Amino acid sequence: NISLKSKRNPNIFNITTEEEIYEMHSDIIVKNGIKLGEINDENFYASVQESAEIIAFNLCVKYISSRLKTEKQIKDYLYKHEYKKITVERVLEKLKNYGIVDDKIYAESYIKSNSNFSKNKVKQKLMSVGVKNDLISEATTDIDDFESCLHHAEKYLRNKDNTIENTQKAFRYLIGRGFSYEDAEYALRNFNKED
């Protein structure tokens, strides 16, 4: 039996055989001339694999459309949707060839949009999403923790009274951003040097 899987996606069909139900993209059904009762095992299973790659690729493009993703995030996403290893590897290779997935670009973009964190915090985040150490080191070379810490101390204390309580709050704020105790203390002393 061949039936539409969902009205929301008119390109995906369920093909039901005696053994199993397969998802197949309409392009593959037409291209390979798949008809009811005329399934050639060898060609059919090749079509199933080809179709799985198209569906997985389209799924990933939709997943990436809102925000960049790393290779690890793509793999995890496809495994969560129960794709086989061969499909995951082929789709990931295709995404990389098209330049849709690139961990180096992800790392650089993450650093630009998260400039309020320390180098260590940025490294931890990038490691947690699967960016390799060499790419992290390359992307974080220009981060100057002290300058960034001083900038955040000034920003936090702007328009606040110069009290011990506010200084302590600023210190906790800086530590929460991942800056070291030394950098936070030095930045606050440098900020309050006139007093």
Side-chain angles (χ1 to χ4, degrees):
N1 186 29
I2 299 177
S3 60
L4 190 62
K5 181 179 179 186
S6 160
K7 289 180 182 177
R8 288 186 302 154
N9 192 343
N11 292 319
I12 313 280
F13 288 82
N14 280 338
I15 297 187
T16 309
T17 65
E18 291 176 3
E19 302 90 27
E20 207 170 335
I21 298 175
Y22 301 95
E23 283 185 357
M24 192 157 301
H25 197 277
S26 58
D27 291 348
I28 302 302
I29 293 172
V30 173
K31 177 183 162 191
N32 295 334
I34 295 171
K35 297 175 187 164
L36 288 174
E38 296 181 17
I39 294 174
N40 174 329
D41 284 347
E42 189 177 309
N43 289 338
F44 177 72
Y45 292 111
S47 298
V48 168
Q49 178 58 39
E50 187 180 359
S51 181
E53 290 172 24
I54 290 173
I55 295 169
F57 181 83
N58 291 340
L59 190 67
C60 286
V61 169
K62 190 175 178 183
Y63 176 57
I64 294 167
S65 66
S66 62
R67 194 170 50 181
L68 291 175
K69 305 289 189 262
T70 63
E71 290 180 32
K72 180 186 182 300
Q73 289 172 315
I74 294 293
K75 282 182 182 178
D76 292 347
Y77 183 71
L78 289 175
Y79 284 131
K80 186 180 95 177
H81 282 82
E82 299 179 356
Y83 283 98
K84 295 178 182 172
K85 185 177 180 183
I86 188 167
T87 304
V88 172
E89 288 173 356
R90 286 181 180 173
V91 168
L92 188 57
E93 195 59 40
K94 199 173 183 182
L95 290 166
K96 286 163 64 177
N97 288 340
Y98 283 129
I100 297 172
V101 173
D102 187 329
D103 284 359
K104 182 178 181 183
I105 291 171
Y106 179 93
E108 291 167 355
S109 174
Y110 181 82
I111 289 167
K112 282 179 187 170
S113 60
N114 290 279
S115 59
N116 59 338
F117 292 113
S118 70
K119 186 185 276 193
N120 283 336
K121 195 113 176 174
V122 168
K123 283 182 177 181
Q124 287 172 357
K125 173 59 178 167
L126 292 174
M127 283 171 55
S128 74
V129 293
V131 179
K132 293 183 177 107
N133 285 333
D134 57 333
L135 292 176
I136 293 172
S137 296
E138 187 181 327
T140 57
T141 53
D142 294 336
I143 295 177
D144 182 350
D145 264 356
F146 176 70
E147 285 299 319
S148 182
C149 189
L150 183 58
H151 167 74
H152 288 293
E154 290 172 356
K155 187 175 172 184
Y156 185 85
L157 291 170
R158 189 179 307 138
N159 301 327
K160 289 188 171 100
D161 293 332
N162 189 7
T163 64
I164 292 174
E165 185 180 326
N166 283 337
T167 303
Q168 289 172 341
K169 285 180 182 177
F171 186 78
R172 287 191 295 274
Y173 169 80
L174 294 172
I175 297 302
R177 292 279 178 262
F179 295 106
S180 70
Y181 286 100
E182 295 80 16
D183 282 343
E185 183 181 7
Y186 191 70
L188 290 170
R189 284 187 191 282
N190 194 43
F191 179 72
N192 291 323
K193 64 186 173 190
E194 312 89 32
D195 300 316

